[in-house]
Each structure stands twice: as structure tokens, then as C-alpha cells.
Amino acid sequence: MQTQPSISLPADNNHPNIMVRLKNDTQAAHQHLEKAPCFKRLFAKDYRLNEYAQLLSYFYGYFSGIETLLFDNLPAELHSQLLYRRKTHLLQQDLNVLGINSAGNLPICEALPDLTTFAQKMGALYVLEGSLLGGRVIGRHLSQQLGDDVSSALNFYHCYGADLETQWRGFAVLMTQCFDSQPEAEINAVLASATATFATLGQWVAVCAAKEESGDFL
């Protein structure tokens, strides 16, 4: 999880846009998540391939669970803008490269935020999209640290390649179009869902790490 790059969307002090509100409202939850040992370890000089594989397996369990709900029953007019943002298959590719068969072998998170409404789904997607914003930096570090062993296992962190900022800005514009003119209750649903997504991801990572330590993860 990395700090989000700034975006230049119209806003004023009295009526900040949805992306500004999301960043501000989820800041504490985001910072708390980044304190998880598996994230703090990412840039350690002694970081090892098995740790990276563990992190991807944690992500796979969470993304696999939440994307099943997140991308179900989306508005038809938004399919082309949203469905390609799925990332579970990229995690599966990376895990396969690292010799981990994800099919039926990894635990899947079930303690997920409520994703009944479109607003709730988009709040969650904000978090998942944001998790890739530091992908280039992380991928560069892992390539330097782990060399050829990891070069084919960076599909998740490099999913947008050079288009990362363009994709993030496109998502920001979509969020603005969908929610900036909506009632406060609708916006609050987006904010609450994003915070809940950070929280449940953090809880899932902690559960996985504890099981890993006890030898009971797989």
C-alpha cells in the first residue's frame, strides 16, 4: 500500500470532490494498514522471495473474495470501464510463477465489507485501485532485490504498466461523475465502504500472518 499521487480535479474548500473526501476520510485507516509487518517489510534490504509469495497469497485471498462481490451486478453502461480493473487473475499468474497453485489451495477471505449497493462497491474499488499506485516503485525494488527470480511474477504490481497514472485519473474522473452531484447519504456510503475495505483487508492480513506463523496457512 502506497501513498496516492495527487490528482487535479475541480474542487473548492466548501465542496471538495469525492476523491478528495475519500483520501481525507480514509487516511487514518490507510496509515494503519501500512503498518502491517508484511507491508513494512516490502522495502527491507533483506526481503526474500518467500515473503513476497506470502504477501501475494494474502492479496489473492482478499481480492478473490471481494472481487466476486464487487463486480457482480454492475450497471451495464459501466462494464467497459470497470470489469477490466479485476486483478485476481494477475495474482493467480504471479503465484503460479512462484510455484503456488492458488486453485482451491489458498484460503479466501469471507469477512468482507457490505457491497450491496453501487456506492459501496465503488468505495471498495477505490481502495483496490489505490493499492496499485506504488506498484512501479515496489516492482523496481523487488527486481533489484530479487533479480530474475521475481521478474515474471510482477503482473499484479505492474498491471497498468506505464498507464498507471492515466488509469488512476480515469478512475478519479469516473468517481467524480458518479458521485459529486449525489446526496450526502450516497457519498457517505462510498466513504464508509472504503474505510471498511481498508479495515477488513488489514484484519485479513493479520489473520493470514498469524496462520503463517503457526504453520497453518495452507
Side-chain angles (χ1 to χ4, degrees):
M1 308 298 290
Q2 296 292 305
T3 302
Q4 298 162 1
S6 61
I7 54 176
S8 300
L9 294 172
D12 59 55
N13 292 331
N14 295 322
H15 301 286
N17 66 58
I18 185 66
M19 294 298 283
V20 173
R21 293 187 64 175
L22 275 163
K23 184 175 182 179
N24 292 340
D25 277 46
T26 63
Q27 184 176 12
H30 189 178
Q31 291 175 345
H32 181 73
L33 178 62
E34 287 184 330
K35 293 178 182 178
C38 62
F39 296 128
K40 293 177 69 174
R41 283 283 301 163
L42 266 171
F43 291 96
K45 293 183 178 179
D46 61 343
Y47 195 69
R48 294 292 178 259
L49 189 64
N50 69 305
E51 292 181 88
Y52 178 57
Q54 288 172 3
L55 177 61
L56 292 183
S57 67
Y58 301 169
F59 272 142
Y60 177 84
Y62 191 81
F63 275 72
S64 181
I66 199 169
E67 286 192 347
T68 300
L69 303 176
L70 179 57
F71 293 105
D72 183 43
N73 292 324
L74 289 171
E77 65 272 17
L78 295 179
H79 279 187
S80 63
Q81 299 182 65
L82 295 177
L83 290 181
Y84 78 96
R85 295 183 183 273
R86 292 174 292 190
K87 298 173 181 68
T88 301
H89 67 290
L90 300 175
L91 289 161
Q92 189 172 38
Q93 291 173 18
D94 289 339
L95 287 168
N96 288 343
V97 169
L98 297 173
I100 298 175
N101 180 9
S102 59
N105 295 327
L106 294 176
I108 305 300
C109 182
E110 296 181 354
L112 297 164
D114 183 6
L115 299 181
T116 304
T117 69
F118 178 65
Q120 290 171 329
K121 291 179 180 183
M122 294 303 284
L125 188 57
Y126 165 83
V127 177
L128 303 190
E129 285 293 291
S131 69
L132 274 297
L133 291 174
R136 283 179 298 190
V137 177
I138 293 172
R140 188 181 307 120
H141 170 75
L142 292 174
S143 294
Q144 293 172 349
Q145 179 73 20
L146 303 174
D148 292 340
D149 290 341
V150 79
S151 60
S152 298
L154 294 171
N155 295 290
F156 173 70
Y157 275 119
H158 287 172
C159 70
Y160 293 135
D163 291 332
L164 175 66
E165 291 186 11
T166 299
Q167 293 295 338
W168 176 247
R169 182 170 177 79
F171 177 73
V173 170
L174 177 61
M175 290 290 287
T176 299
Q177 292 171 343
C178 288
F179 296 107
D180 272 9
S181 62
Q182 293 298 309
E184 190 68 11
E186 189 81 354
I187 293 174
N188 286 338
V190 178
L191 301 177
S193 181
T195 299
T197 302
F198 274 119
T200 54
L201 176 56
Q203 292 161 6
W204 172 248
V205 165
V207 167
C208 291
K211 288 184 176 181
E212 190 81 48
E213 189 171 338
S214 68
D216 192 36
F217 182 65
L218 296 179

